[in-house]
Amino acid sequence: MHKLFLIFAGFLFFLGSCGPGKSSKENDTAVTDTSRVFLERLNKQIAEDGSNPDLFNKRARFYLADKQLEPALKDASKAISLDPKKPDFYITASDVYLMMGQPQKASDVLVRALEKDPSNHEVVLHLARLNLIIREYKTAMQYVNKSLEKEPDNNPQAFFLRALILLETGDTVRAVTDLKKTVELDQNQFDAYMQLGELYAMKKDRIAADYINNALRIRPNSKEALYMLGMFFQDNGMYEQALETYARLEKADSSFRNASYNQGYIYLVYLKDFPKSIKYFTDAINKDPVYAEAWYNRGYAYELSGDHENAYKDYKKTLELRVNYDKAIQALNRIDRGRKK
């Protein structure tokens, strides 16, 4: 099974401009104003024009982005009641139901929208997405194909969705073809680049780095992309590039424990630089004091550098965090045997 975060990240591709939230993908208004000011402005507009369904839909998307699901659903329903013929309002309600964990209601709303506008491209794609989420792959594929029949040439969303369906059903070869088609049509499709990077990284093909770097061109501080690139370099013996990438990752997110841990691991296992290894494992522990693997590996670095006292302490700490951790038990026994000689 392929990484779930990539699949769900891909679904956000369909949400479009969903109002201001707290992510780096806020819309222009949210970048200019705070969310509070934006909401106050919307509330004022609705108070002055309470029959405008677009305003209710806009506020629903605001609430959805802010994960305020009950008011989001209330506003989406209000928009539908004011204008039952506009598919966008049904799409908003469906997204809210999906976020609420109610896929059947999400589906029902979209089916109602499709009944009112059978040729609506976005509704068809949302239905494909929804059926992929609930693992109704046959139905999802039917909706994707319907979308491609309507728009066969410039339809990156459909090609991306079909790629995900093919991956989930085990057809990697055809999935790669669709992913490449996706980025050919949309060179800013972050998730397709990431999925291609993952697939080629699994084959240790160096083109993986090109795809991941394309993802980073779109989102330079993406933790997922930086970590994937660092792991690709690490797994393929390109340790300096891996260390540089993990350093970039630490700049993007100073609390990301695995960036420090992986640097420590490279210095411990591959470069045999135990003092640097100890430094980076210490950084990982400072970021996450219950990181058992970091305690163990720092202990091992201490042991290899001849500092058995600190090694023993770290191995003991490892066992406090993870009872019966076999490697730590063996390490403690090893140090005890050395002390008895």
Side-chain angles (χ1 to χ4, degrees):
M1 189 67 66
H2 296 272
K3 286 186 175 66
L4 196 59
F5 82 84
L6 286 179
I7 292 175
F8 278 98
F11 294 152
L12 298 179
F13 183 74
F14 296 92
L15 296 183
S17 298
C18 60
K22 299 177 181 178
S23 72
S24 61
K25 299 175 73 177
E26 295 166 329
N27 66 16
D28 292 340
T29 306
V31 171
T32 305
D33 304 330
T34 64
S35 295
R36 178 184 58 80
V37 171
F38 182 80
L39 179 59
E40 287 176 355
R41 183 178 299 168
L42 263 179
N43 289 339
K44 182 179 179 182
Q45 291 173 333
I46 289 171
E48 294 172 352
D49 186 6
S51 61
N52 187 332
D54 291 309
L55 291 175
F56 283 99
N57 187 63
K58 193 173 185 180
R59 192 169 66 178
R61 301 233 52 114
F62 174 94
Y63 285 134
L64 176 61
D66 203 43
K67 296 184 173 60
Q68 299 184 53
L69 301 183
E70 292 296 338
L73 182 60
K74 182 178 179 181
D75 276 356
S77 300
K78 180 66 174 179
I80 291 171
S81 70
L82 290 170
D83 185 355
K85 295 182 180 180
K86 195 163 183 179
D88 287 353
F89 303 157
Y90 293 89
I91 288 173
T92 297
S94 173
D95 289 336
V96 177
Y97 278 126
L98 188 57
M99 189 73 77
M100 286 178 159
Q102 300 180 47
Q104 186 57 57
K105 288 186 176 180
S107 178
D108 292 343
V109 168
L110 290 174
V111 169
R112 284 169 58 198
L114 200 60
E115 288 171 351
K116 295 178 181 299
D117 186 358
S119 63
N120 189 281
H121 185 65
E122 290 301 314
V123 174
V124 171
L125 286 173
H126 268 71
L127 279 163
R129 176 195 71 158
L130 176 60
N131 279 279
L132 174 56
I133 290 173
I134 63 176
R135 294 181 169 83
E136 292 290 343
Y137 301 124
K138 183 177 179 180
T139 305
M141 187 65 82
Q142 288 171 349
Y143 282 118
V144 167
N145 289 336
K146 182 175 181 178
S147 174
L148 287 168
E149 287 171 8
K150 189 75 175 177
E151 182 58 74
D153 298 320
N154 187 24
N155 198 344
Q157 299 181 26
F159 283 110
F160 180 62
L161 260 181
R162 190 168 71 180
L164 294 180
I165 297 167
L166 291 168
L167 284 173
E168 289 292 289
T169 54
D171 193 341
T172 304
V173 174
R174 289 176 60 204
V176 168
T177 299
D178 276 352
L179 288 167
K180 289 180 177 179
K181 184 68 174 179
T182 302
V183 297
E184 176 188 326
L185 295 172
D186 180 5
Q187 295 180 12
N188 290 315
Q189 226 294 15
F190 173 87
D191 303 298
Y193 282 122
M194 285 287 283
Q195 192 68 70
L196 283 164
E198 181 191 7
L199 291 168
Y200 279 102
M202 290 168 63
K203 299 195 296 182
K204 297 189 178 295
D205 188 323
R206 293 203 175 193
I207 199 174
D210 294 335
Y211 285 121
I212 302 168
N213 277 318
N214 264 308
L216 286 166
R217 169 183 56 80
I218 301 163
R219 299 184 195 170
N221 293 323
S222 166
K223 292 184 289 184
E224 294 89 354
L226 286 168
Y227 187 69
M228 184 184 291
L229 184 62
M231 284 298 301
F232 173 76
F233 287 140
Q234 180 177 331
D235 290 343
N236 289 277
M238 293 179 275
Y239 304 124
E240 290 304 319
Q241 294 96 317
L243 291 169
E244 290 172 4
T245 305
Y246 292 137
R248 286 175 62 191
L249 178 50
E250 286 187 308
K251 288 182 180 179
D253 183 355
S254 60
S255 67
F256 196 83
R257 67 175 198 172
N258 283 4
S260 299
Y261 177 87
N262 284 18
Q263 289 176 89
Y265 189 87
I266 289 171
Y267 280 116
L268 173 65
V269 175
Y270 303 114
L271 303 182
K272 311 298 182 185
D273 188 333
F274 305 129
K276 282 188 177 178
S277 176
I278 290 166
K279 172 189 177 299
Y280 283 109
F281 285 130
T282 300
D283 288 345
I285 290 167
N286 288 337
K287 292 169 184 175
D288 183 0
V290 295
Y291 197 172
E293 291 84 356
W295 283 99
Y296 171 79
N297 278 326
R298 190 178 73 170
Y300 191 44
Y302 276 131
E303 183 181 358
L304 291 175
S305 63
D307 186 347
H308 290 179
E309 181 178 349
N310 277 318
Y312 198 86
K313 291 177 182 177
D314 279 0
Y315 291 144
K316 292 284 286 185
K317 181 64 176 180
T318 304
L319 286 175
E320 289 178 17
L321 296 171
R322 186 172 298 173
V323 179
N324 298 324
Y325 188 38
D326 190 54
K327 288 184 178 180
I329 294 171
Q330 292 177 17
L332 288 171
N333 291 336
R334 187 168 60 243
I335 291 175
D336 284 336
R337 286 196 301 269
R339 286 172 174 175
K340 293 176 181 177
K341 291 182 180 178

